[in-house]
């Protein structure tokens, strides 16, 4: 399954938990592993708190502080910082499925991470059944 | 399978390799993939050297240096640094299983990473057979 | 499957996409999940742009800048920075397989990450079919 995500900021975290959960319910996947993958090199996917919007906002601010936008980078597109963030946060994630639901903690949500937006992006979802 | 882990420090790395290995042996999973997942947003799971205790200690010290505890964070719980560490280290991990054993390198162990302790935490283990 | 990788620098990113793709084609794995794993504690595996060689070069430079080589580390082998990088980038990765091919974005390649070379290293490939 392919999910389309549209970012509106240069760096932005977008909660995609509900769309992934809905896909699993529609496909009737009772038990297994859900693989979430970002096919882009300046974006990523992560799990973190989706209750207080200050959490993703703080994460972007500290990440933008740690990884300098400007350094003596050689890559001419000027987005080397975005490539670094993509590798540190990661492009792939696996989550268990039980009773047609993602097995996530109370405060956990799945975030698409835009590091070089705004852009229209894809997220690939692939589930392996173990029934 | 659910593993209970109790941290005693604010930030701490706890070796959970033996408990995960014992679960695989007891379940009789000869071959497949083991999924290790932390259902918390201020903790993580990683693989690193578990021979010299100085390695996890050094990792915590450099991580605590890189990610500032105090910045102009907005999240009122005061643990934004812990959320950032959780996303950088990651909540999910996959390891192959062969002959009822985790396929790990000689020096590798699996560590539960506490970033906002001390607390009692859970680690979820899910194995997919490929026999 | 085991892939042997030889690094020539202290820190180096090596593109291993073609070797992994060739293994999948030879094994005739039409559909599933490919698990890529590094059994070392001072190396890692990541996905990023493999078109412009400036991208992996910039990533190594910023990573070497963020993680200090020298700090008041306790681990006597002197490679604590390499252990930290291994945990931040990660030892395990999962990628979907469709029609005998890795499902990667246009600009994505799989890189073995050497953080304490030069050395001869292993990369373990394990595929789960979902046909």
């Amino acid at each position: 399954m392919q999910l389309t995500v549209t970012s509106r900021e240069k760096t932005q975290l977008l909660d995609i938990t509900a769309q992934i959960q809905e896909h699993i319910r529609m496909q009737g996947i009772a038990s297994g592993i859900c693989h979430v993958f970002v096919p882009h090199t300046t974006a990523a996917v992560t799990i973190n708190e989706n209750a207080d919007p200050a959490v993703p906002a703080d994460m972007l601010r500290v990440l933008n502080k740690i990884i300098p936008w400007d350094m003596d980078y050689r890559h001419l597109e000027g987005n080397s910082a975005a490539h670094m963030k993509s590798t540190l946060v990661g492009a792939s994630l696996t989550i268990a499925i039980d009773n047609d639901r993602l097995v996530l903690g109370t405060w956990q949500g799945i975030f698409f991470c835009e590091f070089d937006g705004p852009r229209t992006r894809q997220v690939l979802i692939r589930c392996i059944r173990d029934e």
Side-chain angles (χ1 to χ4, degrees), chain A:
Chain A
M1 198 267 288
Q2 196 162 316
L3 199 69
T4 300
V5 178
T6 305
S7 62
R8 285 180 196 83
E9 310 286 339
K10 180 80 173 172
T11 61
Q12 187 175 9
L13 265 59
L14 290 151
D15 186 352
I16 55 173
T17 319
Q19 288 106 303
I20 298 173
Q21 179 52 60
E22 177 63 10
H23 168 70
I24 289 165
R25 198 191 57 79
M26 298 250 309
Q27 296 287 310
I29 300 153
S31 176
I33 296 276
C34 177
H35 176 244
V36 183
F37 187 81
V38 168
H40 307 286
T41 58
T42 53
V45 65
T46 193
I47 292 174
N48 218 298
E49 183 185 323
N50 64 354
D52 178 4
V55 171
D58 280 351
M59 286 204 293
L60 281 178
R61 289 166 65 247
V62 68
L63 205 51
N64 284 330
K65 192 184 170 170
I66 297 165
I67 317 290
W69 283 104
D70 287 308
M71 224 178 80
D72 46 339
Y73 293 125
R74 309 290 158 88
H75 182 48
L76 297 176
E77 290 181 50
N79 58 359
S80 286
H83 286 289
M84 186 72 256
K85 288 170 195 164
S86 174
T87 272
L88 288 178
V89 175
S92 90
L93 208 59
T94 45
I95 305 151
I97 301 167
D98 258 336
N99 302 313
D100 299 290
R101 294 197 63 81
L102 290 164
V103 181
L104 288 169
T106 314
W107 306 105
Q108 285 182 320
I110 305 166
F111 287 95
F112 169 81
C113 308
E114 174 63 75
F115 295 131
D116 193 29
R119 295 204 207 191
T120 296
R121 304 283 209 171
Q122 307 302 318
V123 180
L124 310 181
I125 316 296
R126 178 71 154 265
C127 300
I128 301 264
R129 293 166 198 266
D130 66 356
E131 295 147 65

Coordinates of all heavy atoms in Angstrom, one line a residue, chain A residues 53-113:
Chain A
P53 N 1.5 18.1 20.8 CA 2.2 18.6 19.6 C 3.5 19.3 19.8 O 4.3 19.5 18.9 CB 1.2 19.6 18.9 CG 0.0 19.7 19.8 CD 0.2 18.7 21.0
A54 N 3.8 19.6 21.1 CA 5.1 20.2 21.4 C 6.2 19.2 21.3 O 7.4 19.6 21.1 CB 5.1 20.8 22.9
V55 N 5.9 17.9 21.4 CA 7.0 16.9 21.3 C 7.6 16.9 19.9 O 8.8 17.1 19.8 CB 6.5 15.5 21.8 CG1 7.5 14.4 21.5 CG2 6.2 15.5 23.3
P56 N 6.8 16.7 18.8 CA 7.4 16.7 17.5 C 8.0 18.1 17.2 O 9.1 18.1 16.6 CB 6.3 16.4 16.5 CG 5.0 16.4 17.3 CD 5.4 16.2 18.8
A57 N 7.4 19.1 17.7 CA 8.0 20.5 17.4 C 9.4 20.6 18.1 O 10.3 21.1 17.5 CB 7.1 21.5 18.0
D58 N 9.5 20.1 19.4 CA 10.8 20.2 20.1 C 11.8 19.3 19.4 O 13.0 19.7 19.3 CB 10.6 19.7 21.5 CG 10.1 20.8 22.4 OD1 10.0 21.9 22.0 OD2 9.7 20.5 23.6
M59 N 11.4 18.1 18.9 CA 12.3 17.2 18.2 C 12.9 17.9 17.0 O 14.1 17.8 16.7 CB 11.7 15.9 17.9 CG 11.4 15.0 19.1 SD 11.3 13.3 18.7 CE 9.7 13.3 17.8
L60 N 12.1 18.5 16.2 CA 12.6 19.2 15.0 C 13.5 20.3 15.4 O 14.6 20.5 14.7 CB 11.4 19.8 14.2 CG 10.6 18.8 13.3 CD1 9.5 19.5 12.6 CD2 11.6 18.1 12.3
R61 N 13.2 21.0 16.4 CA 14.1 22.1 16.8 C 15.5 21.7 17.3 O 16.5 22.2 16.9 CB 13.4 23.0 17.8 CG 12.3 23.8 17.1 CD 11.3 24.4 18.1 NE 12.0 25.5 18.9 CZ 12.2 25.4 20.2 NH1 11.8 24.3 20.9 NH2 12.7 26.4 20.8
V62 N 15.5 20.6 18.1 CA 16.8 20.1 18.5 C 17.6 19.4 17.4 O 18.8 19.6 17.2 CB 16.7 19.2 19.8 CG1 16.0 17.9 19.5 CG2 18.1 19.0 20.4
L63 N 16.9 18.7 16.5 CA 17.5 18.1 15.3 C 18.1 19.2 14.4 O 19.2 19.0 13.9 CB 16.5 17.3 14.6 CG 16.9 16.1 13.8 CD1 17.8 15.1 14.5 CD2 15.7 15.3 13.2
N64 N 17.4 20.2 14.2 CA 17.9 21.3 13.3 C 19.0 22.0 14.0 O 19.9 22.6 13.3 CB 16.7 22.3 13.0 CG 15.8 21.8 12.0 OD1 16.1 21.0 11.1 ND2 14.5 22.1 12.1
K65 N 19.1 22.0 15.3 CA 20.2 22.6 16.0 C 21.5 21.7 15.9 O 22.6 22.2 15.7 CB 19.9 22.8 17.5 CG 20.9 23.7 18.2 CD 20.5 23.9 19.7 CE 21.7 24.5 20.4 NZ 21.4 24.9 21.7
I66 N 21.3 20.4 16.1 CA 22.4 19.5 16.1 C 23.1 19.3 14.7 O 24.3 19.3 14.6 CB 22.0 18.1 16.6 CG1 21.5 18.1 18.0 CG2 23.1 17.0 16.4 CD1 20.7 16.9 18.4
I67 N 22.2 19.2 13.7 CA 22.8 19.0 12.3 C 22.8 20.3 11.6 O 21.8 20.9 11.3 CB 21.8 18.0 11.5 CG1 21.4 16.8 12.3 CG2 22.5 17.6 10.2 CD1 22.5 15.8 12.6
P68 N 24.0 20.9 11.4 CA 24.1 22.2 10.8 C 23.6 22.3 9.4 O 23.9 21.4 8.6 CB 25.6 22.5 10.9 CG 26.3 21.2 11.1 CD 25.3 20.3 11.8
W69 N 22.7 23.3 9.1 CA 22.3 23.5 7.7 C 23.4 23.8 6.8 O 23.5 23.4 5.7 CB 21.2 24.6 7.6 CG 19.9 24.2 8.1 CD1 19.3 24.5 9.3 CD2 18.9 23.4 7.5 NE1 18.1 23.9 9.5 CE2 17.8 23.2 8.3 CE3 18.9 22.7 6.2 CZ2 16.7 22.5 8.0 CZ3 17.8 22.0 5.9 CH2 16.7 21.9 6.7
D70 N 24.3 24.7 7.4 CA 25.5 25.1 6.6 C 26.8 24.6 7.2 O 27.0 24.8 8.4 CB 25.5 26.6 6.5 CG 24.4 27.2 5.6 OD1 24.4 26.7 4.4 OD2 23.7 28.0 6.0
M71 N 27.5 23.9 6.4 CA 28.9 23.4 6.8 C 29.6 23.5 5.5 O 29.1 23.9 4.5 CB 28.8 22.0 7.3 CG 29.6 21.8 8.6 SD 29.3 20.0 9.2 CE 30.5 19.1 8.1
D72 N 30.8 23.0 5.4 CA 31.5 23.0 4.1 C 31.1 21.7 3.4 O 31.9 20.9 3.0 CB 33.0 23.1 4.3 CG 33.5 22.1 5.4 OD1 32.7 21.7 6.3 OD2 34.7 21.8 5.4
Y73 N 29.7 21.6 3.1 CA 29.2 20.5 2.4 C 29.6 20.6 0.9 O 29.7 21.7 0.4 CB 27.7 20.5 2.5 CG 27.1 20.2 3.9 CD1 26.2 21.1 4.5 CD2 27.4 19.1 4.6 CE1 25.7 20.9 5.7 CE2 26.9 18.8 5.8 CZ 26.0 19.8 6.4 OH 25.5 19.5 7.7
R74 N 29.7 19.4 0.3 CA 30.1 19.4 -1.1 C 28.9 19.1 -2.1 O 28.9 19.5 -3.2 CB 31.1 18.2 -1.4 CG 32.3 18.2 -0.5 CD 33.3 19.4 -0.8 NE 34.1 19.6 0.4 CZ 35.3 19.0 0.7 NH1 35.7 18.1 -0.2 NH2 36.0 19.3 1.7
H75 N 27.8 18.5 -1.5 CA 26.7 18.2 -2.3 C 26.0 19.5 -2.8 O 25.6 20.3 -1.9 CB 25.7 17.3 -1.5 CG 24.5 16.8 -2.2 ND1 24.5 16.3 -3.5 CD2 23.2 16.8 -1.8 CE1 23.3 15.9 -3.8 NE2 22.5 16.3 -2.9
L76 N 25.9 19.7 -4.1 CA 25.5 21.0 -4.6 C 24.0 21.3 -4.4 O 23.6 22.5 -4.6 CB 25.9 21.1 -6.1 CG 27.4 21.0 -6.3 CD1 27.7 21.1 -7.8 CD2 28.2 22.2 -5.6
E77 N 23.2 20.3 -4.1 CA 21.8 20.7 -3.9 C 21.5 21.4 -2.6 O 20.4 21.9 -2.4 CB 20.9 19.4 -4.0 CG 20.9 18.8 -5.3 CD 20.0 17.5 -5.4 OE1 18.9 17.6 -4.8 OE2 20.5 16.5 -5.8
G78 N 22.5 21.5 -1.7 CA 22.4 22.2 -0.5 C 21.5 21.6 0.6 O 21.1 22.2 1.5
N79 N 21.2 20.3 0.4 CA 20.4 19.6 1.4 C 21.1 18.4 2.1 O 20.4 17.5 2.5 CB 19.1 19.1 0.7 CG 19.3 18.2 -0.4 OD1 20.5 17.9 -0.8 ND2 18.3 17.7 -1.0
S80 N 22.4 18.6 2.3 CA 23.1 17.5 2.9 C 22.6 17.3 4.4 O 22.6 16.1 4.9 CB 24.6 17.8 3.0 OG 25.1 17.6 1.7
A81 N 22.2 18.3 5.0 CA 21.7 18.2 6.4 C 20.5 17.3 6.4 O 20.3 16.5 7.3 CB 21.4 19.6 7.0
A82 N 19.6 17.4 5.4 CA 18.4 16.6 5.3 C 18.8 15.1 5.0 O 18.1 14.2 5.6 CB 17.5 17.1 4.1
H83 N 19.8 14.9 4.2 CA 20.3 13.5 4.0 C 20.7 12.9 5.3 O 20.4 11.8 5.7 CB 21.4 13.5 3.0 CG 20.9 13.7 1.6 ND1 20.2 12.7 0.9 CD2 21.1 14.7 0.7 CE1 19.9 13.2 -0.3 NE2 20.4 14.4 -0.5
M84 N 21.5 13.7 6.1 CA 22.0 13.2 7.4 C 20.9 12.8 8.4 O 20.9 11.8 9.0 CB 22.9 14.3 8.0 CG 23.7 13.8 9.3 SD 25.0 12.6 9.0 CE 24.2 11.1 9.5
K85 N 19.9 13.7 8.4 CA 18.7 13.5 9.3 C 18.0 12.2 8.9 O 17.5 11.4 9.8 CB 17.8 14.7 9.3 CG 18.3 15.9 10.0 CD 17.5 17.1 9.7 CE 18.2 18.4 10.1 NZ 17.5 19.6 9.5
S86 N 17.9 12.0 7.6 CA 17.2 10.8 7.1 C 17.9 9.6 7.6 O 17.2 8.6 8.0 CB 17.1 10.9 5.6 OG 16.6 9.7 5.0
T87 N 19.2 9.5 7.5 CA 20.0 8.4 8.0 C 19.9 8.2 9.5 O 19.8 7.1 10.0 CB 21.4 8.5 7.4 OG1 21.4 7.9 6.1 CG2 22.4 7.7 8.3
L88 N 19.9 9.3 10.2 CA 19.9 9.2 11.7 C 18.5 8.7 12.2 O 18.4 7.9 13.1 CB 20.3 10.5 12.4 CG 21.7 10.9 12.2 CD1 22.0 12.3 12.9 CD2 22.6 9.9 12.9
V89 N 17.5 9.2 11.6 CA 16.1 8.8 12.1 C 15.7 7.5 11.4 O 15.1 6.6 12.1 CB 15.1 9.9 11.8 CG1 13.7 9.5 12.1 CG2 15.5 11.2 12.5
G90 N 16.1 7.3 10.1 CA 15.8 6.0 9.5 C 14.7 6.0 8.5 O 13.6 6.6 8.8
A91 N 14.8 5.2 7.5 CA 13.8 5.1 6.4 C 12.9 3.9 6.6 O 11.8 3.8 6.0 CB 14.5 4.9 5.1
S92 N 13.2 3.0 7.5 CA 12.4 1.7 7.7 C 12.0 1.5 9.2 O 12.8 1.8 10.1 CB 13.1 0.5 7.1 OG 13.9 -0.1 8.0
L93 N 10.9 0.9 9.4 CA 10.3 0.7 10.7 C 9.5 -0.6 10.7 O 8.8 -0.8 9.7 CB 9.4 1.9 11.0 CG 9.1 2.3 12.4 CD1 10.4 2.7 13.1 CD2 8.2 3.5 12.4
T94 N 9.5 -1.4 11.7 CA 8.6 -2.5 11.8 C 7.8 -2.5 13.1 O 8.3 -2.2 14.2 CB 9.4 -3.9 11.7 OG1 10.5 -3.8 12.5 CG2 9.8 -4.2 10.3
I95 N 6.5 -2.8 13.0 CA 5.6 -2.8 14.1 C 4.7 -4.1 14.1 O 4.3 -4.5 13.0 CB 4.7 -1.6 14.0 CG1 5.5 -0.3 13.9 CG2 3.7 -1.5 15.2 CD1 4.8 0.8 13.1
A96 N 4.5 -4.7 15.3 CA 3.7 -5.9 15.3 C 2.2 -5.5 15.1 O 1.8 -4.4 15.4 CB 3.9 -6.6 16.6
I97 N 1.5 -6.5 14.6 CA 0.0 -6.4 14.5 C -0.6 -7.5 15.3 O -0.2 -8.7 15.2 CB -0.4 -6.6 13.0 CG1 0.3 -5.5 12.1 CG2 -1.9 -6.5 12.8 CD1 0.1 -5.8 10.6
D98 N -1.6 -7.2 16.1 CA -2.4 -8.1 16.9 C -3.9 -7.7 16.8 O -4.2 -6.6 17.0 CB -2.0 -8.1 18.3 CG -1.1 -9.3 18.7 OD1 -1.1 -10.3 18.0 OD2 -0.3 -9.1 19.7
N99 N -4.8 -8.7 16.5 CA -6.2 -8.4 16.5 C -6.5 -7.2 15.6 O -7.3 -6.3 16.0 CB -6.7 -8.1 17.9 CG -6.5 -9.3 18.9 OD1 -6.7 -10.4 18.5 ND2 -5.9 -9.0 20.0
D100 N -6.0 -7.3 14.4 CA -6.2 -6.2 13.4 C -5.7 -4.8 13.8 O -6.1 -3.8 13.2 CB -7.7 -6.1 13.0 CG -8.2 -7.4 12.5 OD1 -7.9 -7.7 11.3 OD2 -9.0 -8.0 13.2
R101 N -4.9 -4.8 14.8 CA -4.4 -3.4 15.3 C -2.9 -3.4 15.4 O -2.3 -4.4 15.8 CB -5.0 -3.1 16.6 CG -6.5 -2.8 16.6 CD -7.0 -2.1 17.8 NE -6.5 -0.7 17.8 CZ -6.9 0.3 17.1 NH1 -7.9 0.2 16.3 NH2 -6.4 1.5 17.3
L102 N -2.3 -2.2 15.1 CA -0.9 -2.0 15.3 C -0.6 -2.1 16.8 O -1.4 -1.6 17.6 CB -0.5 -0.6 14.9 CG -0.4 -0.3 13.4 CD1 -0.4 1.2 13.1 CD2 0.8 -1.0 12.7
V103 N 0.5 -2.8 17.2 CA 0.8 -2.9 18.7 C 1.7 -1.7 19.0 O 2.9 -1.8 18.8 CB 1.5 -4.3 19.0 CG1 1.8 -4.3 20.5 CG2 0.6 -5.4 18.5
L104 N 1.1 -0.6 19.5 CA 1.8 0.6 19.9 C 1.6 0.9 21.3 O 0.5 0.5 21.9 CB 1.3 1.8 19.0 CG 1.7 1.8 17.5 CD1 1.0 2.8 16.8 CD2 3.2 2.0 17.3
G105 N 2.5 1.6 22.0 CA 2.3 2.0 23.3 C 1.2 3.1 23.4 O 0.9 3.7 22.3
T106 N 0.7 3.4 24.6 CA -0.3 4.4 24.8 C 0.0 5.7 24.1 O -0.9 6.3 23.6 CB -0.5 4.6 26.3 OG1 -0.5 3.4 27.0 CG2 -1.8 5.4 26.6
W107 N 1.2 6.2 24.2 CA 1.5 7.5 23.8 C 2.2 7.5 22.4 O 2.6 8.6 21.9 CB 2.5 8.2 24.8 CG 1.9 8.2 26.1 CD1 2.2 7.4 27.2 CD2 0.8 9.0 26.6 NE1 1.4 7.7 28.3 CE2 0.5 8.6 27.9 CE3 -0.1 10.0 26.0 CZ2 -0.5 9.2 28.7 CZ3 -1.1 10.5 26.7 CH2 -1.3 10.2 28.1
Q108 N 2.3 6.3 21.8 CA 3.1 6.2 20.5 C 2.2 6.5 19.3 O 1.1 5.9 19.2 CB 3.7 4.9 20.4 CG 5.0 4.7 21.3 CD 5.6 3.3 21.0 OE1 4.9 2.3 20.9 NE2 6.9 3.3 21.0
G109 N 2.8 7.3 18.4 CA 2.2 7.4 17.0 C 3.3 7.3 16.0 O 4.5 7.4 16.4
I110 N 3.0 7.0 14.8 CA 3.9 6.9 13.7 C 4.0 8.3 12.9 O 3.0 8.8 12.5 CB 3.6 5.8 12.7 CG1 3.4 4.5 13.5 CG2 4.6 5.6 11.6 CD1 2.7 3.4 12.7
F111 N 5.2 8.8 12.8 CA 5.4 10.1 12.1 C 6.2 10.0 10.9 O 7.3 9.4 10.9 CB 6.1 11.1 13.0 CG 5.3 11.6 14.2 CD1 5.4 11.0 15.4 CD2 4.5 12.7 14.1 CE1 4.7 11.5 16.5 CE2 3.8 13.2 15.1 CZ 3.9 12.6 16.4
F112 N 5.6 10.5 9.8 CA 6.4 10.8 8.6 C 7.3 12.0 8.9 O 6.7 13.0 9.4 CB 5.6 11.0 7.3 CG 6.4 11.5 6.2 CD1 7.1 10.6 5.4 CD2 6.4 12.9 5.9 CE1 7.9 11.1 4.3 CE2 7.2 13.3 4.8 CZ 7.9 12.5 4.1
C113 N 8.6 12.0 8.6 CA 9.5 13.1 8.9 C 10.0 13.7 7.6 O 10.7 13.1 6.8 CB 10.7 12.6 9.7 SG 10.3 11.6 11.1

